[in-house]
Amino acid sequence: MMILEAAQQIQPHLSELRRAFHAHPEVSGQEKETARRVLEELQAIGGYTLRTGVSGNGILADLEGGQPGPKVALRADMDALQITEETGLPFDSQNPGVMHACGHDNHITMLLGAARLLAQFKDQLQGSVRLIFQPAEEMSPVGGSRGMMAAGALEGVDAVFGLHVWPELPMGTFGTKAGPLMASSDHFSVQIHGSSSHGAKPDAGIDAVVAGAQFVTAAQTIVSRNTDPLQSAVITIGRLEAGTRYNIVAGECEMEGTCRTFNPKVREMAERRLQEVLNGVCTLSGCTGELKYERGYCSVMNDPKQADYLLRTAEELFGPDKAVKVEEPSMCAEDFAFYLTEKPGTFAWLGTALPQEEAWPLHNCHFTAPEDILWRGAALLAQMALNMHKE
């Protein structure tokens, strides 16, 4: 039996699994029920050596093949987001205010499908496979991957792979590229201290709102005037709070933002310039200020050889039109990136967009993915492990 036929045969079971995960989402660090259900499924499949409670709620599952060869790691993330679901699905979230809006329910299910397929084709597995069920992917800037790595998730591993559902690609297509695929993600906060006064007497105070507005505007010149036009950077200030009343000059202003880059040198420049801009604004206005800059996830840097291997595998399984060489990376971030700093591998996107249907973005209360991707993702992940000995 070919792996595609076997994957299609388990699709009804995969749909049931995905619906169960979708209906019971859990946020970062609280994936206890999710992990329990994953463990239950792995035990039912059998043949895996299991480690539970890894870096919190993580699970590692190892399968030895019938012949010697490389060890391949396959990873899925398990956490959900603090979003109230509005999909109208019959199996929508039963946990108010929490939703699998980033599609991790699909990732868990596809990796469990790959686990079942690999157990079925164990005699053909030259080497071994390690399945990584990771908690807290959404918990930037900390994330769950580094905790899994510290607990030994990549020990003895030769290559590591992961998939993410992607509404910007047609349903059933697999897309990736060599080099940068997703951006680094940093978080910064700014506190500006002025002095309050009556709104009719601004000269008696130091206006933190004006200083804050100047900082917001000046920070954008870091991208437009300090960044090489052939490089990419995004600085977004998503929250600004100041003042207590309409007729009082605000004495305090605070804001938070994110910085996204691919090139480490651009990342370092942006952090330095944010501090310099704040210093300049404070000098100009008479305010004082503090910048807190937190390095989050690094950029996803795919190994060229492994990116090519994934696309070739997708083409062999599903045809050349289903293997897409991505031209432009995304400014979204993913803490799978840290696995790639330790081992060669690649991260890829699995398209979910259907013709004539609105493709809701990730992290949206309406986002869902067609269930027909489940067997496809499971088949690709399993085949990546089965074919690795040929590389």
Side-chain angles (χ1 to χ4, degrees):
M1 181 187 299
M2 299 298 292
I3 198 162
L4 287 185
E5 182 182 351
Q8 288 173 314
Q9 287 186 357
I10 64 172
Q11 172 64 20
H13 180 62
L14 297 183
S15 293
E16 291 179 7
L17 281 175
R18 183 260 174 156
R19 294 182 181 196
F21 289 127
H22 189 90
H24 301 284
E26 296 170 301
V27 298
S28 302
Q30 299 180 23
E31 310 93 344
K32 292 183 179 179
E33 177 61 23
T34 303
R36 185 201 64 78
R37 186 68 184 85
V38 168
L39 178 61
E40 181 181 90
E41 179 68 12
L42 289 170
Q43 290 172 333
I45 294 170
Y48 285 85
T49 301
L50 303 174
R51 282 183 58 194
T52 61
V54 182
S55 188
N57 297 310
I59 295 175
L60 297 177
D62 287 276
L63 180 71
E64 295 296 327
Q67 305 171 56
K71 180 183 287 291
V72 178
L74 306 173
R75 174 270 205 172
D77 38 14
M78 301 191 293
D79 53 333
L81 290 160
Q82 292 94 333
I83 293 177
T84 298
E85 182 167 353
E86 296 183 23
T87 61
L89 293 170
F91 50 91
D92 63 3
S93 174
Q94 301 302 298
N95 187 355
V98 182
M99 176 193 174
H100 270 299
C102 201
H104 296 185
D105 51 332
N106 299 282
H107 305 166
I108 308 165
T109 304
M110 290 187 289
L111 189 53
L112 286 172
R116 188 170 288 272
L117 294 172
L118 287 165
Q120 182 176 344
F121 290 88
K122 179 180 176 180
D123 290 344
Q124 298 179 28
L125 178 62
Q126 296 185 30
S128 61
V129 64
R130 173 168 295 154
L131 310 181
I132 303 172
F133 293 90
Q134 179 202 306
E137 190 281 325
E138 299 286 359
M139 199 167 65
S140 180
V142 179
S145 64
R146 281 166 284 183
M148 297 297 287
M149 291 163 62
L154 295 183
E155 287 182 4
V157 167
D158 295 291
V160 59
F161 302 97
L163 290 178
H164 201 299
V165 292
W166 206 252
E168 298 174 36
L169 288 176
M171 203 286 291
T173 57
F174 294 88
T176 195
K177 65 183 291 293
L181 182 71
M182 301 177 76
S184 63
S185 171
D186 298 338
H187 167 257
F188 64 87
S189 60
V190 175
Q191 297 279 342
I192 295 177
H193 312 288
S195 178
S196 61
S197 68
H198 196 291
K201 295 284 291 180
D203 56 305
I206 302 176
D207 196 333
V209 167
V210 172
Q214 291 171 333
F215 177 83
V216 171
T217 302
Q220 298 309 308
T221 65
I222 297 171
V223 175
S224 66
R225 286 297 175 264
N226 300 137
T227 305
D228 184 336
L230 299 181
Q231 298 288 340
S232 297
V234 170
I235 293 176
T236 294
I237 295 172
R239 187 183 72 87
L240 187 150
E241 294 184 16
T244 58
R245 183 177 164 84
Y246 78 98
N247 63 347
I248 298 176
V249 169
E252 300 289 331
C253 177
E254 63 178 54
M255 62 194 84
E256 288 183 285
T258 185
C259 180
R260 306 292 175 108
T261 59
F262 297 109
N263 188 319
K265 292 183 179 179
V266 175
R267 189 184 200 184
E268 293 169 5
M269 179 276 295
E271 180 180 356
R272 173 177 54 81
R273 287 293 293 140
L274 282 168
Q275 183 64 65
E276 292 171 350
V277 167
L278 178 60
N279 293 345
V281 165
C282 288
T283 299
L284 179 67
S285 65
C287 292
T288 59
E290 297 90 36
L291 169 72
K292 182 180 180 181
Y293 194 98
E294 296 177 288
R295 293 285 181 104
Y297 302 163
C298 58
S299 57
V300 173
M301 298 293 290
N302 285 333
D303 179 82
K305 179 181 177 181
Q306 302 305 338
D308 179 68
Y309 171 50
L310 187 144
L311 289 175
R312 282 189 286 109
T313 303
E315 182 173 343
E316 290 168 6
L317 284 175
F318 303 104
D321 60 325
K322 299 300 183 183
V324 177
K325 186 175 182 180
V326 173
E327 296 296 328
E328 300 294 337
S330 169
M331 280 295 178
C332 293
E334 164 63 61
D335 89 333
F336 184 89
F338 291 102
Y339 296 118
L340 296 176
T341 65
E342 296 293 330
K343 299 290 180 178
T346 197
F347 195 65
W349 300 331
L350 173 50
T352 63
L354 292 167
Q356 287 79 52
E357 290 192 19
E358 184 166 6
W360 294 101
L362 298 172
H363 291 213
N364 182 278
C365 61
H366 296 285
F367 174 77
T368 188
E371 291 185 333
D372 203 36
I373 65 166
L374 298 174
W375 70 269
R376 300 170 188 270
L380 181 86
L381 289 170
Q383 194 66 50
M384 294 291 291
L386 290 170
N387 278 359
M388 179 55 71
H389 69 280
K390 299 177 183 178
E391 289 301 295

